[in-house]
Amino acid sequence: MNSSKEIRWFFPKTIKEAIGLLSIGEVKIHGGGTGLLLSELKNVKTLIDLQNLPINNFSVTDEKIEIGASQSFCSIIDNLRNIGSDSILIESLSCAANTPLRNRITLGGSIVFSPLWSDLMGPLFVLEPEVYLEGPDSGVYKIFEIKTNRSIFNNNLITKIIYPNEKWKSFYYRESRTEVDFASFTISIILKKHTTNTLSDIRIAITGTKNKIERLHTFEKKLSAGIITSEKIDVFLKDVDLDFSKKSTGSSEYTKEIAKTYIKRGIESLLDQ
Amino acid sequence: MEGSFIINNKKRTFQFKSGDTLLTVLRNNDHAEVKEGGREGLCGACLVLLNGVLVNSCQVLAASATGKNITTVKGIGTIHTPHLIQKAFVQAGAVQCGFCTPGMILATYDLLEKNPDPTEKEIKKHLDGNLCRCTGYVKIIKAVKLSSILLKENEEKGKK
């Protein structure tokens, strides 16, 4: 894209300054910029650049993991690896785009943009972080609230997410034509085993459906209620209603069957570990 | 607008449109070694190091990069004093039309800085943002492996 647009730029140094600038109207936020450039800077007149704000942090305690909104996907991967984590985010974010783009795509930008092919949102839906917003609607929001209330991003700034530092077994799958293609859907599964074939907790999220992203709560409850066998997974999966549009990888019916196949494979592979 | 950049260790100041990408600004100011390919962040022809981080210059707005260090392929070696990675690419026969080569060299440089002894899988993963229409990638991967060997040999020589 070769832009000849004139854009007014601001480089605030504090969050308060950034929030003040958001209120002047017709402004967009520039984090890594990849989402903006994907839209070819349509309707962009004023940009607020976040690079000087103190929102590029990463910290860990025994109880929680905190990730600043300006952390790039590569930084998140490296930081999680450095603390010896086997978080689902390492695998999922490593699938996103390519190396140089992962150096620019930010956590905050990706939550706001939340494309259908996102490799971030599925894992976040199972990790259940709190999302910290500053602005007129300052507060701490569950990730599910952010999904249903997109207008919250008008004039508000994501500063960080915090999620519990817990040990999970994890499975991540993305369905695409090639390794670097946009995903038709992604499956995120994290679980804690009670015994070999019983679970103390399981969380499953799928992206790419007509609902864009969803947790399979009813299915999770059934799986958590007793011994799991391959036959039981098949029976429970019959009741899981996944509604897809036609995808580049296949028809909606085909995509539904493939998704269910990989949900089952994911659960079984985690139980085998 | 006017903005300054430190390009290959030299401070340069340019006039550019505030919506211009870094790729446009570099190519308009004597840095044709940064190639314009797909302009979507997928081909890797336009790769540069921005404060040491590998990025597609077509996906960076120049205004956000002012004051920063930018390394192009010329910043790591020249025709008279080529970097060992550039020598390795020539030696391995990994250059045909040469259009993807600057990006490949920088991605290789970035990889070997972080991981001096990568596996083939790690090479392919790190260079997943670099496309080549000519070579079929076999010799490029061979060149990266050779680069790793040459750099290690050079480091050993330096220690002796």
Side-chain angles (χ1 to χ4, degrees):
Chain A
M1 189 217 77
N2 196 0
S3 171
S4 59
K5 291 169 78 75
E6 287 295 346
I7 295 170
R8 200 162 56 137
W9 284 82
F10 291 98
F11 294 87
K13 291 189 170 59
T14 65
I15 292 172
K16 190 177 171 186
E17 194 186 339
I19 300 302
L21 288 166
L22 277 173
S23 65
I24 64 177
E26 287 195 306
V27 299
K28 292 210 177 197
I29 288 173
H30 179 268
T34 53
L36 285 170
L37 282 157
L38 205 60
S39 69
E40 296 190 348
L41 297 177
K42 277 192 184 106
N43 305 319
V44 174
K45 294 181 183 152
T46 306
L47 284 174
I48 298 170
D49 189 287
L50 304 182
Q51 61 184 283
N52 294 327
L53 296 186
I55 55 173
N56 194 20
N57 58 304
F58 181 93
S59 63
V60 180
T61 66
D62 288 341
E63 288 78 39
K64 61 182 186 178
I65 293 177
E66 179 175 318
I67 307 178
S70 286
Q71 279 271 302
S72 70
F73 278 14
C74 269
S75 290
I76 295 170
I77 293 164
D78 288 344
N79 282 323
L80 285 169
R81 281 199 177 127
N82 286 342
I83 61 168
S85 170
D86 56 1
S87 170
I88 189 173
L89 280 173
I90 294 175
E91 187 176 354
S92 72
L93 298 186
S94 299
C95 295
N98 55 46
T99 300
L101 281 176
R102 288 192 291 275
N103 280 330
R104 294 293 289 180
I105 299 170
T106 62
L107 173 78
S110 204
I111 291 174
V112 173
F113 191 41
S114 200
L116 205 59
W117 59 84
S118 174
D119 289 295
L120 172 70
M121 293 307 289
L124 286 190
F125 259 55
V126 295
L127 290 171
E128 298 183 359
E130 291 176 328
V131 182
Y132 285 69
L133 250 57
E134 294 286 342
D137 303 297
S138 282
V140 181
Y141 295 81
K142 291 283 185 200
I143 191 73
F144 314 113
E145 295 176 85
I146 297 284
K147 183 230 170 184
T148 53
N149 182 13
R150 306 295 298 168
S151 63
I152 199 97
F153 297 126
N154 297 341
N155 302 333
N156 289 295
L157 187 69
I158 296 178
T159 56
K160 63 186 176 191
I161 67 167
I162 295 179
Y163 63 91
N165 187 3
E166 293 175 327
K167 199 107 176 91
W168 296 90
K169 293 190 184 301
S170 65
F171 171 87
Y172 184 73
Y173 176 77
R174 72 195 308 272
E175 170 76 2
S176 60
R177 290 171 295 183
T178 65
E179 202 170 292
V180 296
D181 196 10
F182 294 128
S184 296
F185 64 83
T186 71
I187 293 165
S188 304
I189 304 173
I190 58 176
L191 62 79
K192 291 177 187 169
K193 289 196 326 189
H194 183 61
T195 63
T196 307
N197 282 326
T198 60
L199 302 173
S200 56
D201 201 352
I202 182 167
R203 299 177 188 174
I204 304 171
I206 182 160
T207 69
T209 62
K210 283 186 181 173
N211 288 330
K212 204 164 177 186
I213 176 166
E214 49 196 287
R215 277 275 296 275
L216 306 183
H217 289 292
T218 307
F219 183 53
E220 291 167 10
K221 277 199 185 106
K222 287 179 183 175
L223 290 170
S224 298
I227 294 172
I228 300 178
T229 62
S230 183
E231 292 74 24
K232 274 192 181 172
I233 296 175
D234 285 331
V235 167
F236 297 154
L237 268 174
K238 280 201 173 88
D239 296 330
V240 173
D241 184 26
L242 298 175
D243 195 11
F244 290 98
S245 305
K246 184 172 178 297
K247 302 281 187 182
S248 59
T249 46
S251 68
S252 59
E253 272 305 306
Y254 173 78
T255 304
K256 184 167 78 175
E257 290 309 310
I258 291 289
K260 287 189 177 187
T261 299
Y262 276 99
I263 289 172
K264 183 180 176 188
R265 282 187 189 175
I267 296 167
E268 288 179 336
S269 73
L270 292 176
L271 288 175
D272 283 343
Q273 286 179 14
Chain B
M1 68 183 285
E2 186 176 276
S4 295
F5 308 86
I6 302 161
I7 303 174
N8 300 332
N9 293 321
K10 283 186 187 157
K11 185 177 176 183
R12 308 274 312 273
T13 303
F14 309 128
Q15 291 284 337
F16 54 92
K17 291 212 165 82
S18 49
D20 279 350
T21 63
L22 183 59
L23 172 65
T24 299
V25 172
L26 287 171
R27 285 186 61 79
N28 284 350
N29 291 283
D30 305 324
H31 285 284
E33 73 273 20
V34 185
K35 302 301 179 192
E36 182 173 347
R39 297 180 297 171
E40 291 182 329
L42 298 177
C43 76
C46 67
L47 290 181
V48 296
L49 295 171
L50 180 63
N51 276 1
V53 176
L54 189 71
V55 299
N56 301 293
S57 57
C58 68
Q59 297 299 299
V60 175
L61 291 169
S64 74
T66 53
K68 294 194 167 68
N69 280 296
I70 295 163
T71 306
T72 74
V73 69
K74 281 188 182 175
I76 67 160
T78 68
I79 194 164
H80 301 293
T81 52
H83 193 278
L84 287 173
I85 295 174
Q86 289 164 316
K87 284 187 180 176
F89 267 68
V90 170
Q91 199 173 323
V95 182
Q96 288 190 29
C97 81
F99 199 81
C100 73
T101 308
M104 291 284 184
I105 299 280
L106 279 166
T108 303
Y109 178 86
D110 185 60
L111 168 64
L112 297 178
E113 285 277 296
K114 295 179 166 75
N115 182 358
D117 199 8
T119 61
E120 186 161 317
K121 190 176 171 186
E122 287 166 335
I123 293 170
K124 287 179 182 176
K125 184 65 184 171
H126 202 82
L127 269 60
D128 63 358
N130 293 81
L131 299 180
C132 174
R133 295 289 283 141
C134 300
T135 65
Y137 302 101
V138 173
K139 290 188 177 179
I140 288 173
I141 294 169
K142 189 176 159 192
V144 177
K145 290 177 181 173
L146 179 59
S147 301
S148 169
I149 292 169
L150 293 179
L151 286 168
K152 276 186 284 190
E153 283 174 357
N154 192 56
E155 199 182 322
E156 286 301 312
K157 268 188 209 162
K159 282 178 185 168
K160 282 180 187 161

